[in-house]
Amino acid sequence: MSNVHERLRRLLFLVPYVSKHPGVTVEALAKALNISREDLLEELDLLTCVGRPPFNPDDYIDIYVDNDRVYVDLDQRLFAPPRLTAGEAAALAAAAELLRPATGDALQSALTKLENIIPPAARERFRDMYRKIDATGEAPLALGPLTQAILERLEVTFGYATPGRPAESRQVRPYELLSNRGQWYLQGFCHTRQDARLFRLDRMEDLAVTTTAFQPPADARADVPNPARGASEASVRVRFSPIAAPYVKERFGQDARPLADGGVEVRVAGDSERWLTQWVLSFGGEAEVLEPASARAAVARAVHASIGS
């Protein structure tokens, strides 16, 4: 693995170095990289194959050797910060929000830089749009005590409200917390139902950590249902344009149904309107919710709010 990292470091160094020193000799470049001439030529051969589908000439890095000197023509650099419209920036910010659980403070730093490259006249418009389509929220207050209960293997009690029913008292052995599509869940064994269950944190009331200890079974997590699978009756059908289709096919594999125009359709869980709206808007107009009508309406409301209509 260290050899792979070292090779990647060299490849990342090569293009900007040659771009800054056009016509550098093969020997000087090999010395700068501390590798042999033969290894350098091998790396240059690899770089000539770097590109992205559909591999048009301007998608490649055009690096070559002429008279024992190295040159690069198409180095694929951004020579100046991109100038984004308010709409483009808002779509990029919405897409970036999907990474918030994994990136934390780094995402906020990136969003600050994003705002800085927007033309001053469009910044207030971007802030207004971003506030309206931002789907994030504060972490549930229950995360702290539930984390404590899981680590100390203590049962918890809470009132749990299900749609159409009043809150019901539950006593649960908490196994694991997970975040899925904008929603936090607790996996655990419910004494009330005598079964492994999944609980949404936003439906819990009067949470308390008890002094009753428990020992979770080895396969505790495998017994609890996963919200990513979703119920079929709650699924949402989304159509993607031919532009977005390659990414969707890579992500969803055989679950992405090809369309005659080159686009694709997929079904995703509809348990979080907040996540769905954010996800669809992140494609910048290349995704459309087909059904159910409630999901279409939720995305339409977000779009109308973002454009101020």
Side-chain angles (χ1 to χ4, degrees):
M1 184 59 68
S2 61
N3 290 337
V4 173
H5 290 165
E6 180 62 23
R7 189 175 195 189
L8 178 60
R9 185 192 68 82
R10 290 199 299 267
L11 292 173
L12 292 175
F13 170 83
L14 262 171
V15 175
Y17 186 88
V18 175
S19 181
K20 187 176 180 179
H21 303 87
V24 60
T25 65
V26 172
E27 287 73 14
L29 186 54
K31 184 177 180 180
L33 288 167
N34 195 28
I35 59 176
S36 68
R37 175 189 177 92
E38 291 71 22
D39 287 341
L40 171 61
L41 294 177
E42 184 178 340
E43 304 292 38
L44 293 175
D45 285 341
L46 175 61
L47 281 172
T48 60
C49 300
V50 172
R52 64 177 181 84
F55 299 110
N56 294 316
D58 59 348
D59 291 321
Y60 284 101
I61 296 174
D62 189 4
I63 190 167
Y64 59 95
V65 179
D66 185 17
N67 290 328
D68 218 37
R69 293 182 177 272
V70 187
Y71 302 88
V72 59
D73 286 341
L74 298 170
D75 53 6
Q76 310 300 350
R77 286 186 301 166
L78 291 173
F79 292 92
R83 306 293 282 179
L84 303 176
T85 66
E88 291 168 338
L92 183 58
E97 282 291 352
L98 294 173
L99 303 175
R100 184 176 289 277
T103 56
D105 294 340
L107 176 62
Q108 191 55 51
S109 174
L111 291 174
T112 300
K113 293 177 181 179
L114 172 63
E115 183 173 333
N116 289 338
I117 65 172
I118 300 172
R123 285 178 189 168
E124 188 54 41
R125 182 66 172 155
F126 162 73
R127 296 188 192 108
D128 184 54
M129 295 173 69
Y130 177 52
R131 282 194 296 266
K132 290 175 179 176
I133 66 174
D134 181 19
T136 60
E138 296 297 325
L141 295 176
L143 278 181
L146 286 174
T147 300
Q148 173 196 349
I150 292 170
L151 292 175
E152 298 180 7
R153 296 178 177 177
L154 297 175
E155 293 185 359
V156 297
T157 61
F158 52 84
Y160 193 68
T162 54
R165 296 181 182 179
E168 181 182 15
S169 179
R170 301 292 183 98
Q171 184 167 351
V172 175
R173 294 178 176 179
Y175 294 153
E176 184 181 21
L177 287 165
L178 64 92
S179 177
N180 185 80
R181 297 177 174 175
Q183 197 63 254
W184 279 96
Y185 297 83
L186 170 69
Q187 295 177 331
F189 180 84
C190 177
H191 286 291
T192 307
R193 293 287 184 265
Q194 284 296 300
D195 193 12
R197 291 296 172 106
L198 192 72
F199 302 95
R200 279 175 51 162
L201 268 60
D202 63 340
R203 293 179 179 170
M204 294 180 179
E205 302 175 0
D206 303 321
L207 172 68
V209 179
T210 73
T211 57
T212 304
F214 69 93
Q215 184 64 36
D219 59 349
R221 297 178 180 178
D223 286 343
V224 182
N226 190 326
R229 289 193 281 270
S232 58
E233 61 270 17
S235 65
V236 177
R237 188 160 62 102
V238 185
R239 178 171 62 199
F240 295 87
S241 73
I243 294 176
Y247 165 79
V248 178
K249 283 191 243 183
E250 181 177 347
R251 178 173 178 182
F252 288 87
Q254 294 181 350
D255 291 333
R257 186 173 71 86
L259 300 176
D261 65 353
V264 294
E265 280 187 14
V266 298
R267 283 190 176 272
V268 296
D271 54 352
S272 173
E273 176 183 303
R274 189 171 57 179
W275 171 84
L276 177 71
T277 299
Q278 180 184 1
W279 185 62
V280 170
L281 290 181
S282 72
F283 286 90
E286 303 300 329
E288 177 189 4
V289 174
L290 300 179
E291 59 180 11
S294 58
R296 283 180 59 87
V299 175
R301 286 194 299 272
V303 172
H304 292 158
S306 70
I307 61 178
S309 59

